[in-house]
Amino acid sequence: MRSHGSTRPVAPDEKLAGVVGGIPRHPDGSVGGGLDTEAFQGLKIRIHRRLLERLNLSNLDSLDREEASRAISLVTQELVAQESLALNLDERDRMVQEVLDEIFGLGPLQPLILDPEVSDILVNGYDDIWLEKNGRLEKTAVRFQDDTHLLQVIDRIVSAVGRRIDESSPMVDARLPDGSRVNAIIPPLALDGPHVSIRKFKRDTLSTDDLIRNGSITEEMVDLLRAIVKSRLNVLISGGTGSGKTTLLNILSSFIPGDERILTIEDSAELQLNQPHVVRLETRPPNVEGRGQVSQRELVINALRMRPDRIVLGEVRGGEAVDMLQAMNTGHDGSLTTLHANTPRDALSRLETMMSMANLNLPESASRRQIASAIQVVVQLSRLSDGTRRVMSVAEIVGMEGEIITMQDIFMFEREGVDAEGNVLGQFAPSGIRPTFAERLKQYGNDLPETLFMRTRGGSGGRW
């Protein structure tokens, strides 16, 4: 910090001089101390307002982020010096950082965005903000000034991707520069003020070793799933919100051989594949005039004309289910997808419902036979009451018995109770049934030992 005993204005270097004007300094008389939260926030509001009055936005745009941040930091410190309130060094540094977050970032949410342990940020109002860490929700002390402040941050997010949010279009999906997904909804649809939900994008994806170490799956189950993918069996990953479906989909996709052409189709691109021949497709929402939307179903249909060896569909949620199942049945075996469901049986029921959304008027029996012939494996995930995420079962679709799709578990997680700290107890175990596709695994060079499916094996669960 500079001394505040002079009234001479700070002189940033010539390159920065055009961004902010000189600000007279005078003694503030501070020797440390500390402010409560309300006083600190009130001071920040005043500093931010005065700073905006002095910024030359046109010149600011001509500087890179580092230079502009340096200029704003200098001026913020000078504005703080003019206040009668005493701030210690930590509070001064915090004030400068929060002002920079207001100008360049997402305001009070920026520290949460930068925290690698935070996976979800849920804003239920300007003064009610929650986050998720290690599968558990917790309330934070972070808050906005008011609804107007929150709306300004929402508008900054959506305008960066060419969208808008107002009373005529009160909800929007967007994506942050780092790939994190954002959903915002405002009055009149949201009765208690603006709401924002942010699902953070993880640059460092979990590996199979991470899942095994955290107790989300066993090494034997990983060996089976690797053989299933390499043997070109079609896999459906099922689970609830936040259960780890995309994480597992990313891991299973990594088992696809590098000499195959892979097409990924997602609503919001999250998959991170390292194979050399990957084509990534993403849906497009309608523009402000309500035109230009490109749905997942259109992308699936188009993908079939692009000579894919494998199709990886981020999540099936509508009429594209029909086209996906037809692709699995007509030479694009080894495809992968996910959907929301609480059990493998529910997953098949939802898939049948989504097929009806294509308006092809297929009878129920035809839809079920299509599902039974297209999908061979259903992997069920769950986020348990203690926040842990586990692969609850790996099930095989055997075929049809009359009008019913028959399934059998190959591996499952057997819950045994809860300990004194609320942690779910249990173990992974094979069902003792040898899958009917075991011969196909052998034909593709994935000869798993018979002991893999024996009932004597097992393991313990942990945190994902």
Side-chain angles (χ1 to χ4, degrees):
M1 289 291 297
R2 298 175 182 264
S3 170
H4 302 296
S6 169
T7 58
R8 180 176 57 84
V10 170
D13 61 43
E14 294 182 1
K15 193 169 185 181
L16 303 180
V19 176
V20 288
I23 299 177
R25 296 184 299 163
H26 49 76
D28 63 359
S30 63
V31 290
L35 300 180
D36 58 34
T37 300
E38 185 175 350
F40 184 89
Q41 293 299 324
L43 176 60
K44 187 180 77 172
I45 293 171
R46 294 197 301 272
I47 295 294
H48 186 219
R49 185 181 300 116
R50 292 176 60 191
L51 180 64
L52 293 178
E53 293 173 355
R54 302 203 60 89
L55 284 178
N56 186 328
L57 297 180
S58 60
N59 286 348
L60 186 65
D61 290 339
S62 66
L63 300 181
D64 61 29
R65 172 69 180 272
E66 183 177 351
E67 291 173 325
S69 297
R70 184 154 57 97
I72 292 172
S73 297
L74 288 172
V75 178
T76 301
Q77 293 176 27
E78 293 304 315
L79 290 172
V80 170
Q82 295 182 13
E83 295 289 333
S84 58
L85 294 174
L87 270 70
N88 58 37
L89 290 178
D90 288 340
E91 288 173 333
R92 289 175 184 269
D93 291 341
R94 178 185 165 198
M95 178 67 69
V96 170
Q97 186 57 54
E98 290 195 9
V99 169
L100 288 173
D101 289 342
E102 291 291 347
I103 295 175
F104 295 111
L106 300 184
L109 299 183
Q110 192 63 28
L112 305 181
I113 293 291
L114 298 178
D115 188 343
E117 295 186 0
V118 174
S119 56
D120 288 88
I121 303 170
L122 307 173
V123 181
N124 299 331
Y126 76 91
D127 59 350
D128 186 17
I129 300 175
W130 296 69
L131 57 80
E132 180 187 290
K133 282 188 177 182
N134 299 320
R136 292 181 181 270
L137 286 174
E138 55 186 74
K139 189 171 183 178
T140 74
V142 175
R143 56 173 290 166
F144 289 84
Q145 300 166 18
D146 48 32
D147 283 346
T148 301
H149 185 199
L150 176 53
L151 283 170
Q152 289 172 351
V153 172
I154 294 174
D155 187 65
R156 188 182 308 163
I157 294 172
V158 301
S159 61
V161 292
R163 309 289 301 280
R164 74 174 187 185
I165 187 166
D166 50 36
E167 288 190 2
S168 62
S169 180
M171 58 182 177
V172 68
D173 285 308
R175 190 167 61 183
L176 298 178
D178 67 352
S180 299
R181 290 182 295 172
V182 181
N183 176 269
I185 184 167
I186 65 174
L189 300 186
L191 301 181
D192 300 320
H195 291 253
V196 182
S197 304
I198 301 177
R199 172 65 58 87
K200 287 180 59 179
F201 177 77
K202 292 185 177 180
R203 294 191 177 277
D204 299 325
T205 58
L206 297 178
S207 65
T208 54
D209 291 338
D210 294 323
L211 267 61
I212 295 171
R213 183 170 53 252
N214 296 334
S216 299
I217 197 171
T218 65
E219 188 173 348
E220 293 83 1
M221 296 168 71
V222 170
D223 291 340
L224 176 61
L225 292 174
R226 182 183 290 108
I228 285 172
V229 173
K230 290 185 175 180
S231 301
R232 301 185 66 88
L233 295 175
N234 296 318
V235 180
L236 175 65
I237 301 172
S238 167
T241 300
S243 60
K245 298 186 298 298
T246 302
T247 297
L248 185 61
L249 179 63
N250 206 75
I251 289 175
L252 296 190
S253 299
S254 70
F255 298 150
I256 299 175
D259 60 351
E260 297 187 21
R261 177 174 167 86
I262 308 169
L263 264 71
T264 67
I265 301 171
E266 301 175 84
D267 263 340
S268 181
E270 294 180 275
L271 295 176
Q272 303 175 57
L273 303 186
N274 296 319
Q275 289 90 334
H277 200 165
V278 178
V279 178
R280 304 168 68 222
L281 306 179
E282 186 180 49
T283 61
R284 185 175 69 183
N287 58 22
V288 293
E289 289 82 20
R291 301 176 182 175
Q293 181 178 16
V294 179
S295 67
Q296 278 200 134
R297 185 174 188 190
E298 292 174 276
L299 291 181
V300 171
I301 294 173
N302 188 78
L304 300 179
R305 306 184 183 119
M306 298 175 67
R307 197 247 173 241
D309 290 312
R310 308 260 191 158
I311 297 177
V312 180
L313 183 59
E315 181 183 343
V316 59
R317 59 181 63 181
E320 68 271 8
V322 169
D323 304 286
M324 185 68 190
L325 293 174
Q326 288 180 343
M328 291 176 171
N329 270 324
T330 56
H332 299 93
D333 49 348
S335 297
L336 309 169
T337 190
T338 75
L339 60 70
H340 278 76
N342 294 323
T343 67
R345 181 63 61 182
D346 288 345
L348 301 186
S349 297
R350 282 211 65 212
L351 203 54
E352 185 179 341
T353 300
M354 287 186 283
M355 291 181 68
S356 66
M357 296 168 65
N359 297 321
L360 298 180
N361 298 320
L362 293 174
E364 288 186 0
S365 59
S367 297
R368 291 174 183 170
R369 292 185 185 279
Q370 182 91 331
I371 294 171
S373 61
I375 298 174
Q376 287 84 44
V377 179
V378 180
V379 182
Q380 181 66 43
L381 305 177
S382 287
R383 181 172 61 174
L384 304 182
S385 57
D386 60 356
T388 59
R389 296 170 171 88
R390 292 195 179 98
V391 178
M392 300 301 292
S393 70
V394 179
E396 175 190 18
I397 295 181
V398 180
M400 297 282 296
E401 285 187 4
E403 299 298 316
I404 304 298
I405 300 174
T406 58
M407 307 175 68
Q408 61 184 19
D409 287 330
I410 304 172
F411 278 90
M412 72 281 288
F413 178 75
E414 298 176 338
R415 297 182 62 159
E416 298 173 350
V418 180
D419 65 14
E421 298 178 351
N423 298 315
V424 176
L425 303 176
Q427 67 175 4
F428 295 99
S431 64
I433 300 174
R434 186 175 185 268
T436 60
F437 56 70
E439 189 61 32
R440 174 163 177 165
L441 301 185
K442 185 182 296 185
Q443 293 172 0
Y444 277 80
N446 301 294
D447 193 5
L448 299 177
E450 290 294 329
T451 54
L452 184 75
F453 308 106
M454 293 177 60
R455 182 65 183 172
T456 55
R457 308 185 76 89
S460 61
R463 238 177 232 289
W464 191 339

